[in-house]
Amino acid sequence: MSKELQKAREYEAEMEKKIPQRTRPAFHMTPATGWMNDPNGFSIYRGEYHLFYQYHPYDVHRGPMHWGHCKSKDLVKWERMPCALAPDTEYDGQGCFSGTALEYGGKHILLYTSVMEELSKGQPHRLLQNQSMAAGDGEEYEKLENNPVITGDMLPEGYSPLDFRDPKFWMEGGHFFAVVGCQLEKGDGDGQLALFSSPDAQCWKFEKILDQSGGKCGKMWECPDFFPLGNEQILIVSPQFMEEDGLEFVKGSNSVYFTGTFDKDRLEWHRGQPRRIDYGMDFYAPQTIGTEDGRRILIGWMQDAENYLTPEGMLWSGIMTIPRELSLKGGRLMQVPVRELENYRGRRVCFTDVALSGADGERRLDGIRGRSFDMTVEIMGENYNSFTLWLAADDIRKTALRYERKDGIFTIDRKLGGMPKDRVPKRSMHVGHREGKIKIRVLMDKFSAEVFVDDGLYAMSALIYTPLDADEVFFSCEGELAFSVEKYAMPE
Ligand code: FRU
């Protein structure tokens, strides 16, 4: 084992002991210590779910990237595993960036972006991005001798060797395929997607540019994923530097999906327009797996790359979303928390047909409070303008989930949540007109809320670093309506 990997393992084991479990989310994955960003290598190996992640153990800010590691039997309870990869070779000394994993020939194989410093005399040093592999047994991983296995010079002319990253690979008909995000070097740097193939996962060949932004969907396409869902093929990418477009896309980084068709023989991909996956403030770089029982499951990094909210003094930074089951409805991607989560539900509190009027002010219900719950609220009525569910509240602080009936707009607003450095306190999404009825499921786990509207047709995730003693929940509205609540306590 390299000294870099050993040092990371010793450090994380030591630090983890200093972080009491009760100060962490209960059913969302967090790193042992230090900084975490993208999910990596989300895969099934020897019947267990493995999840790696972008990891800088030594600080709660970005640094030379390692691959952290954990595994799970049910996608909810994660067991931390020792750090899997450290930046410890010449070709990845500047970072082991994002990538994916597969089980193959009894081994767990990882394909990741290796970042190296180009040392050419008299030139400014550049950081080149190539793709490298490691193989292991679910705990110990060894990098291949012939790394990097996919290099920037395999791209056609005109592509930037500095923005060539995040391989997603899979097997199809005895062959391996990989899509890798890349960017044109000249002009305004269009985001593109390169397709490679290989007979053995080691010797790779460039096939074609499979897709491109064409100036319409941002620059560098980070973290691609490409998979079948029902009768369609889905492409997920996380483009940087997108333009704002109504409530659909925000300025900067977004995670988007395209639905389309993929001709596997001709390697041709046709698709429609992009749509945002999650309309909240904190969602990026998701990855998916196909499970043995035929489900497609997505997990994302629940943080905005440009809006750092980790409170002072915390010894870890970064939370993954709950893994979500995907399906399609009318061409839209639906997302619901994995069904395994229901095994963790505790005490149930339920109210039906509660009448609420604007004159009631703040309405509280017995047993409806806490910072860790799975709650569904259904609203009915045609005589109201807006309904607000308030979370993580006390006398001073609160976060609003608001539905505006006439405009068909749903908003999360944490500007009163006590996060002074927050640069993006509010996000809204169009949920359409629906005769006053709306169903909202909220998954709250101490420092975050994930909202699923209408059985997952619209999703919205946000960090809520309001101190944990702000645990009240209440309801208010403008006008008159009736609502029902079903709340399950979740483990603390
Ligand atoms: C996305 C990303 C990836 C890269 C990784 C580095 O958040 O920028 O493109 O591989 O993070 O940590």
Side-chain angles (χ1 to χ4, degrees):
M1 186 186 314
S2 70
K3 60 179 190 322
E4 289 84 353
L5 186 60
Q6 183 159 6
K7 182 174 156 211
R9 287 182 170 193
E10 283 166 9
Y11 185 78
E12 64 183 4
E14 200 43 48
M15 290 301 286
E16 195 178 349
K17 289 188 225 145
K18 299 189 183 160
I19 307 174
Q21 173 52 43
R22 68 186 152 70
T23 64
R24 295 177 180 267
F27 53 99
H28 283 75
M29 221 290 287
T30 54
T33 186
W35 164 269
M36 173 175 86
N37 56 295
D38 315 353
N40 292 159
F42 191 26
S43 56
I44 300 172
Y45 178 66
R46 293 194 180 148
E48 291 183 305
Y49 300 104
H50 283 256
L51 180 67
F52 302 82
Y53 49 90
Q54 286 292 280
Y55 182 38
H56 179 231
Y58 306 112
D59 195 352
V60 287
H61 294 276
R62 279 176 195 276
M65 284 299 166
H66 297 56
W67 272 37
H69 185 196
C70 59
K71 67 176 186 178
S72 172
K73 290 190 172 31
D74 68 356
L75 294 160
V76 179
K77 201 175 167 120
W78 294 94
E79 177 190 342
R80 284 201 192 84
M81 300 290 289
C83 180
L85 301 177
D88 52 12
T89 70
E90 201 189 319
Y91 58 84
D92 69 7
Q94 299 298 316
C96 301
F97 275 18
S98 288
T100 48
L102 279 181
E103 176 161 6
Y104 177 61
K107 290 257 184 226
H108 200 196
I109 54 175
L110 319 179
L111 181 63
Y112 68 98
T113 298
S114 44
V115 186
M116 73 182 277
E117 193 167 4
E118 179 191 48
L119 299 170
S120 43
K121 283 200 191 106
Q123 301 282 342
H125 291 182
R126 304 190 302 170
L127 297 181
L128 303 182
Q129 301 189 338
N130 298 303
Q131 322 314 320
S132 291
M133 298 202 67
D137 62 359
E139 182 158 348
E140 303 299 332
Y141 293 85
E142 250 180 67
K143 296 175 184 171
L144 301 200
E145 295 269 307
N146 54 336
N147 275 339
V149 292
I150 305 179
T151 54
D153 54 18
M154 291 162 72
L155 286 169
E157 219 169 290
Y159 285 83
S160 166
L162 316 185
D163 287 292
F164 178 40
R165 59 180 175 272
D166 309 339
K168 156 78 186 196
F169 76 133
W170 70 96
M171 263 195 103
E172 187 97 63
H175 253 72
F176 290 90
F177 291 92
V179 282
V180 190
C182 55
Q183 193 176 12
L184 288 179
E185 192 154 39
K186 302 249 159 56
D188 53 6
D190 204 47
Q192 312 222 336
L193 189 69
L195 177 70
F196 294 83
S197 72
S198 165
D200 57 4
Q202 294 197 35
C203 194
W204 290 88
K205 165 175 148 222
F206 171 78
E207 290 285 351
K208 66 193 294 190
I209 294 297
L210 195 66
D211 202 345
Q212 49 205 303
S213 162
K216 296 201 180 94
C217 192
K219 309 284 185 236
M220 177 63 193
W221 279 9
E222 298 193 313
C223 301
D225 198 351
F226 193 55
F227 55 90
L229 185 65
N231 299 324
E232 308 256 357
Q233 182 78 13
I234 306 285
L235 171 65
I236 286 178
V237 287
S238 294
Q240 296 181 308
F241 306 110
M242 282 185 75
E243 296 299 333
E244 185 176 309
D245 183 359
L247 296 180
E248 191 61 29
F249 302 119
V250 298
K251 194 171 170 59
S253 299
N254 291 255
S255 288
V256 308
Y257 69 96
F258 302 91
T259 56
T261 54
F262 183 49
D263 180 331
K264 292 174 187 161
D265 300 322
R266 297 201 176 119
L267 303 180
E268 271 173 26
W269 155 244
H270 297 281
R271 47 93 169 163
Q273 294 305 313
R275 274 191 168 151
R276 191 124 134 256
I277 301 172
D278 183 299
Y279 295 89
M281 303 80 151
D282 298 294
F283 182 89
Y284 199 61
Q287 286 197 349
T288 70
I289 45 164
T291 61
E292 265 142 40
D293 60 5
R295 291 179 290 164
R296 178 57 59 171
I297 293 173
L298 170 145
I299 192 165
W301 173 39
M302 201 161 22
Q303 187 164 312
D304 179 314
E306 283 115 44
N307 192 20
Y308 185 79
L309 296 174
T310 306
E312 282 300 309
M314 234 179 204
L315 298 175
W316 56 272
S317 172
I319 308 178
M320 292 296 172
T321 65
I322 200 75
R324 303 170 181 181
E325 295 180 16
L326 300 183
S327 59
L328 285 168
K329 187 173 176 186
R332 279 197 75 90
L333 195 63
M334 308 249 306
Q335 305 167 62
V336 286
V338 284
R339 59 196 71 169
E340 287 85 343
L341 189 68
E342 289 161 29
N343 301 331
Y344 292 81
R345 283 173 166 174
R347 195 166 89 91
R348 175 174 179 266
V349 181
C350 189
F351 292 87
T352 38
D353 282 331
V354 181
L356 183 68
S357 135
D360 296 344
E362 298 175 355
R363 181 74 184 272
R364 286 168 170 77
L365 296 172
D366 277 352
I368 306 284
R369 67 183 305 152
R371 285 291 287 266
S372 195
F373 55 76
D374 180 355
M375 180 165 83
T376 301
V377 180
E378 276 186 83
I379 301 142
M380 288 140 288
E382 287 185 49
N383 295 321
Y384 71 101
N385 291 328
S386 70
F387 168 84
T388 308
L389 163 59
W390 300 89
L391 305 169
D394 60 11
D395 293 345
I396 319 164
R397 293 159 298 203
K398 53 190 172 183
T399 286
L401 300 180
R402 180 169 301 122
Y403 170 56
E404 282 158 290
R405 190 180 65 86
K406 283 208 197 99
D407 299 329
I409 288 180
F410 192 94
T411 299
I412 183 160
D413 184 347
R414 62 183 177 195
K415 71 173 172 297
L416 300 176
M419 287 166 275
K421 281 186 273 178
D422 188 7
R423 292 188 295 117
V424 187
K426 187 171 151 184
R427 284 270 164 84
S428 296
M429 61 181 171
H430 272 295
V431 292
H433 286 279
R434 50 200 43 257
E435 295 171 343
K437 285 193 194 146
I438 186 167
K439 184 169 165 191
I440 308 162
R441 179 168 173 194
V442 185
L443 216 57
M444 172 132 227
D445 189 4
K446 297 183 189 171
F447 303 120
S448 66
E450 287 163 277
V451 182
F452 302 91
V453 171
D454 285 352
D455 302 309
L457 205 47
Y458 304 91
M460 200 173 224
S461 305
L463 294 172
I464 301 179
Y465 279 116
T466 309
L468 291 178
D469 51 5
D471 67 348
E472 289 172 33
V473 171
F474 59 89
F475 307 86
S476 67
C477 76
E478 273 175 62
E480 285 176 358
L481 54 81
F483 70 102
S484 300
V485 192
E486 183 181 40
K487 178 201 161 230
Y488 293 92
M490 293 299 283
E492 300 275 321

